[in-house]
Amino acid sequence: MSNVINITDKFSTDLPSIQLGDKLYPVNNGISAMLAFEEASTGGIAGILKALEGAFGKKAYKEMAVEDMSMGNIMVLASAVLAAMMNITYEEANARFQREVQS
């Protein structure tokens, strides 16, 4: 008989969230969303917007009016999403994101 290792209860199904006002927006922290953020650092603002849409989904992205935000607010939002995806502090994510964008 083969050895069966059940890891079902080891997987997390919880999604991180970003709070904007009194609303919580779940963040897709899957590998494809994380890869989109990695690519965003070299894709300019269009890449960042695409990554944000992938992280939140089209409905939440439109509800937040991301495309009407200032560039400063886009950078804050992108750093917050990166923090949520990587389970790190906002400050740490912001420092990493700024380094990647400037490289």
Side-chain angles (χ1 to χ4, degrees):
M1 180 183 276
S2 65
N3 186 17
V4 175
I5 300 171
N6 185 348
I7 61 171
T8 303
D9 62 342
K10 305 272 188 239
F11 282 97
S12 172
T13 57
D14 295 333
L15 289 177
S17 297
I18 299 291
Q19 183 171 353
L20 194 56
D22 60 350
K23 182 99 174 162
L24 283 177
Y25 295 97
V27 175
N28 176 357
N29 62 346
I31 293 298
S32 61
M34 291 183 79
L35 287 172
F37 261 85
E38 184 178 301
E39 291 175 20
S41 66
T42 60
I45 188 64
I48 294 169
L49 291 176
K50 184 177 178 183
L52 288 170
E53 185 177 13
F56 290 112
K58 290 180 188 234
K59 182 180 176 187
Y61 179 86
K62 286 184 183 227
E63 183 177 303
M64 288 187 287
V66 173
E67 292 184 1
D68 294 329
M69 290 182 180
S70 69
M71 186 60 192
N73 287 345
I74 292 289
M75 298 306 283
V76 168
L77 185 60
S79 293
V81 169
L82 185 61
M85 287 177 165
M86 298 179 72
N87 196 26
I88 59 176
T89 67
Y90 170 83
E91 290 75 20
E92 186 177 351
N94 188 45
R96 287 183 188 186
F97 192 71
Q98 293 300 325
R99 280 193 305 269
E100 289 298 319
V101 169
Q102 293 173 359
S103 295

